[in-house]
Every structure is written in structure tokens, then in C-alpha cells.
């Protein structure tokens, strides 16, 4: 009774708030597919499910039907669905796309899909029709369906995972979250060109692509998470979600425009940007307490501080950039800039937590 009440309430809200933006048909729904609907600043239709947001163009208002089942939500062109159903005698036609959730890899057998995002328990994906779904007996209906289909690239780019807790991936990955969040150029700092290219390949590998080069294939074959069965020539990049597509674009641009020859000195640093940019917790992922302490010392060493512990002093003496001139007792922390002060605080906090 409570579930039916929720669905009736959502249907009423949909009609009142969006003035017939589209209709909603509820089958046996679970909490995953309960939703709220609103309009954004451009009057587009925003549908927020428990962990996924779907945004539809304002031009779809009154033309689209949302069918909810226990396992998925499908979106249909109303006119095509009604016309085909009347002609065939059973419900059919007009399919635009479906969003679904799975805890295994059953979506990999689908002929046309795109991963929306990963959670700690499963995967959200979108499925698209591979045959023509418009009603062909009426040119005006077909034309309206075609207009909706023309917007599908925009709709795909606006299918997003909204859940805060995303999958925790182990250290076998170059970038732990490249499939679930946007990378920045600072994330790429210090990587070689080969490492950036391998990070691009890693995104493809998540979707089970195989590789031409033996050394690349062997690298991913060594990873416990990898299962490669799609040949390079058969791989379809449309399976990428919005994060993956953006991150690949970022890395391709970085490869094309970054001067990797200028990075040789940064290889000598634990944290190359600790004096010029604010570090984040993700920058410190995987570092031990000893490494975090040495990163603190590195900030001091940049300002010529010497160290009482022989092993630490020997470590910095081996660096081409280091000139130790200030004794530990004479070192004045007022020489530190705002980045360094903030980064030392973060490093100490992280070190103590480990």
C-alpha cells in the first residue's frame, strides 16, 4: 500500500510540476526506481532516481512515456508506441532507451549499451535499440520520433551517477576513479607519456577490450580485474560513460600538448607540486606513514633545511635540486608559502591516521 501511494504521489507531482512533460507507467517498482522530477535553469526535465539522474530536453515534453519495472526504467515515444500497439494488437515500438542496474556482467551481451557508472555493489548502464522503433505508417509520427532520436547523444551525455559512495578499486589500477569521476591535469602531473597512454588503455580495458601490442596485452592480463574478450577492431567507444569519455579527452590532449622532457627533474620529488599547488587526499593514496613523513621533509628541504638523521640527510643529498645550508635549529618555517603550510598540515593529518 505504501509503495502504491508513493507511485501515485509521484505521478501527481509529475503532472502538476511539469504540466504533462511526459507520462509515467508504473509496473512493479522497487525503491531504486522511485524518482523525483524537476526542471533545470534551461527548462530541461531532470529525473532523479535513487542513484542516477536522467535529464531530457525540454522539447521532449508531452512526447515521451517512462515505463518503470522492478529491474529497469524504459523511455518510449508515445505516438509510436500507441500506433504500433494498435496495429499489432500488443504493446510494442517507440523505444528510445532503457536504464538498468546489474550486479554481474550480463549487460556485456547486449548489442548496444553504455555504462553510466559503477557503485560498490553493481553497475548502472543504458541500453539502446538497434532497430528502427518509429511508427512507419504515419510520416508525422516517424518525423517526431526521428527528432527525439537526434537528441540521443545529448541525453547520453546527461545520464549521470549521483550516488556518493562509488566502487573502491584496488591498487592494481593507475587511476582508481577514472570510470566514476573527472580527472584533472594535476592528476596527470609526474606521469610519463607511456603511463598516460596506459591510463587511457586502462579505461578501454575496463570494458574488456583487447590490445594490439603484446606488452600492453600482457600488462592487463596480469591484472586480477581484467577480462579481455573484445578485439580492438570490434570495440565500440559508445559504451563509455561521461566520466570515461571526458578523461580520455583530457589525457589525449595532455599527451599532445605537455612537454614531457621538462619532467625529468620532477622524477626526483616525492610530491612534485607540494610547493605550488594544494594537495588532496587522493594525491596521498597508497603512501605509507614513512613516505608521508619524507614528503613533509621534502618541503623543508626545498628551502635548504638540513636534517639530523643521517639517512634522511643522505636521501636529500642524492637529489640534484637539493642544497642543504640551514641547520635544523636555525630553520624558520616562516619561509613556507601558503601551499606548503596547507600541504604540511594535510600530510601530518594523513600520516597520523596511518
Amino acid at each position: 500500500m505504501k509503495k502504491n501511494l508513493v507511485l501515485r504521489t509521484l505521478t501527481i507531482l509529475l503532472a502538476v510540476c511539469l504540466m504533462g512533460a511526459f507520462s509515467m507507467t508504473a509496473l512493479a517498482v522497487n525503491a531504486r526506481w522511485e524518482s523525483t522530477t524537476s526542471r533545470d535553469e534551461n527548462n530541461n526535465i531532470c529525473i532523479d532516481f535513487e542513484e542516477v539522474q536522467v535529464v531530457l530536453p525540454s522539447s521532449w515534453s508531452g512526447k515521451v512515456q517512462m515505463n518503470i519495472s522492478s529491474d529497469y526504467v524504459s523511455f518510449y515515444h508515445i505516438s509510436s508506441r500507441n500506433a504500433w500497439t494498435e496495429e499489432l494488437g500488443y504493446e510494442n515500438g517507440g523505444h528510445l532507451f532503457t536504464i538498468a542496474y546489474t550486479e554481474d556482467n550480463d549487460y556485456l551481451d547486449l548489442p548496444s549499451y553504455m555504462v553510466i557508472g559503477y557503485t560498490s555493489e553493481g553497475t548502472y548502464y543504458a541500453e539502446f535499440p538497434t532497430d528502427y522503433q518509429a511508427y512507419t505508417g504515419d510520416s508525422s509520427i516517424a518525423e517526431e520520433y526521428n527528432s527525439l532520436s537526434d537528441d540521443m547523444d545529448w541525453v547520453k551525455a546527461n545520464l549521470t551517477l549521483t550516488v556518493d559512495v562509488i566502487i573502491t578499486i584496488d591498487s592494481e589500477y593507475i587511476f582508481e576513479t577514472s570510470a566514476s569521476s573527472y580527472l584533472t591535469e594535476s592528476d596527470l602531473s609526474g606521469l610519463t607519456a607511456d603511463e598516460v597512454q596506459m591510463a587511457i588503455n586502462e579505461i578501454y580495458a575496463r570494458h574488456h577490450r583487447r590490445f594490439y601490442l603484446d606488452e600492453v596485452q600482457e600488462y592487463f592480463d596480469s591484472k586480477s580485474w581484467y577480462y579481455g574478450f573484445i578485439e580492438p577492431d570490434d570495440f565500440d567507444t559508445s559504451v563509455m560513460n561521461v566520466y570515461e569519455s571526458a578523461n580520455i579527452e583530457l589525457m589525449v590532449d595532455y599527451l599532445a600538448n605537455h612537454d614531457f622532457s621538462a619532467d625529468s627533474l620532477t622524477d626526483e620529488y616525492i610530491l612534485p607540486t607540494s610547493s605550488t599547488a594544494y594537495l588532496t587526499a587522493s594525491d596521498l593514496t597508497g603512501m605509507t606513514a614513512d613516505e608521508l613523513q619524507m614528503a613533509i621533509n621534502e618541503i623543508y628541504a626545498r628551502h635548504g633545511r638540513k636534517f639530523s638523521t643521517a639517512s634522511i640527510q643522505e636521501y636529500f643529498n642524492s637529489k640534484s635540486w637539493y642544497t642543504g645550508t640551514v641547520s635544523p635549529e636555525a630553520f624558520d618555517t616562516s619561509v613556507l608559502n601558503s601551499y606548503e603550510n596547507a600541504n604540511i598540515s594535510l600530510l601530518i593529518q594523513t600520516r597520523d591516521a596511518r
Side-chain angles (χ1 to χ4, degrees):
M1 178 65 72
K2 182 178 180 181
K3 183 181 293 183
N4 290 336
L5 178 60
V6 170
L7 290 174
R8 284 198 298 271
T9 302
L10 289 175
T11 305
I12 293 170
L13 286 173
L14 190 64
V16 172
C17 296
L18 301 186
M19 295 184 296
F22 58 91
S23 64
M24 177 171 73
T25 300
L27 304 177
V29 70
N30 62 30
R32 186 179 303 282
W33 302 119
E34 292 177 1
S35 64
T36 59
T37 310
S38 60
R39 294 276 190 163
D40 66 12
E41 64 276 9
N42 296 314
N43 207 35
N44 296 312
I45 306 162
C46 303
I47 309 167
D48 287 286
F49 297 99
E50 184 179 51
E51 297 180 322
V52 171
Q53 183 185 66
V54 177
V55 182
L56 305 178
S58 59
S59 60
W60 284 30
S61 178
K63 303 173 184 176
V64 176
Q65 172 178 296
M66 182 171 73
N67 285 358
I68 305 176
S69 81
S70 60
D71 300 320
Y72 57 84
V73 177
S74 291
F75 294 80
Y76 298 92
H77 176 219
I78 295 172
S79 296
S80 288
R81 170 54 62 99
N82 291 344
W84 275 122
T85 298
E86 182 178 354
E87 180 171 313
L88 299 174
Y90 57 89
E91 195 170 53
N92 205 334
H95 184 214
L96 292 164
F97 69 98
T98 294
I99 58 173
Y101 175 82
T102 181
E103 294 182 0
D104 53 39
N105 290 326
D106 53 0
Y107 63 92
L108 296 174
D109 295 327
L110 297 173
S112 181
Y113 72 90
M114 181 193 82
V115 172
I116 298 173
Y118 305 95
T119 73
S120 57
E121 296 178 348
T123 304
Y124 282 95
Y125 65 92
E127 180 186 2
F128 309 99
T130 55
D131 56 346
Y132 191 53
Q133 291 283 310
Y135 181 69
T136 55
D138 186 316
S139 60
S140 64
I141 293 178
E143 184 178 346
E144 185 173 83
Y145 179 90
N146 293 339
S147 177
L148 298 173
S149 295
D150 289 342
D151 293 327
M152 278 309 304
D153 285 343
W154 186 92
V155 172
K156 288 180 181 180
N158 287 278
L159 298 174
T160 54
L161 194 70
T162 57
V163 61
D164 290 333
V165 181
I166 53 180
I167 190 168
T168 301
I169 304 171
D170 60 33
S171 58
E172 286 197 317
Y173 287 82
I174 299 170
F175 284 118
E176 295 180 349
T177 61
S178 63
S180 54
S181 63
Y182 294 112
L183 299 176
T184 65
E185 191 166 311
S186 65
D187 294 321
L188 309 181
S189 178
L191 295 182
T192 66
D194 287 342
E195 289 170 335
V196 174
Q197 181 59 59
M198 196 64 84
I200 295 173
N201 293 338
E202 181 175 83
I203 295 176
Y204 297 139
R206 280 192 170 106
H207 293 282
H208 314 287
R209 181 184 182 229
R210 295 182 60 81
F211 299 89
Y212 291 115
L213 297 178
D214 290 341
E215 58 267 29
V216 176
Q217 187 61 52
E218 290 169 3
Y219 171 83
F220 289 111
D221 284 339
S222 71
K223 305 302 178 184
S224 62
W225 53 266
Y226 176 66
Y227 175 42
F229 62 88
I230 302 175
E231 294 301 323
D233 291 340
D234 297 328
F235 186 73
D236 184 355
T237 58
S238 67
V239 302
M240 309 282 195
N241 64 33
V242 290
Y243 303 110
E244 293 167 322
S245 296
N247 290 336
I248 288 174
E249 183 178 356
L250 171 71
M251 289 189 279
V252 168
D253 182 68
Y254 190 81
L255 284 172
N257 297 299
H258 184 70
D259 181 9
F260 288 94
S261 64
D263 291 341
S264 58
L265 184 60
T266 65
D267 292 340
E268 290 199 324
Y269 287 89
I270 301 169
L271 294 170
T273 63
S274 63
S275 66
T276 57
Y278 293 113
L279 299 175
T280 65
S282 64
D283 295 320
L284 312 183
T285 300
M287 294 181 67
T288 66
D290 288 342
E291 289 169 336
L292 292 165
Q293 180 58 56
M294 194 64 84
I296 295 170
N297 294 338
E298 180 175 82
I299 294 175
Y300 297 140
R302 279 192 171 102
H303 294 279
R305 185 187 190 274
K306 301 179 72 172
F307 300 89
S308 301
T309 303
S311 59
I312 296 175
Q313 188 61 52
E314 290 172 4
Y315 172 83
F316 288 111
N317 284 341
S318 71
K319 304 303 176 184
S320 61
W321 54 265
Y322 176 68
T323 303
T325 57
V326 183
S327 68
E329 297 80 10
F331 186 74
D332 185 355
T333 57
S334 66
V335 300
L336 302 176
N337 64 34
S338 58
Y339 299 113
E340 293 168 322
N341 281 316
N343 291 336
I344 287 172
S345 295
L346 176 64
L347 287 162
I348 290 174
Q349 179 183 1
T350 308
R351 179 203 64 193
D352 292 348
R354 294 179 185 175

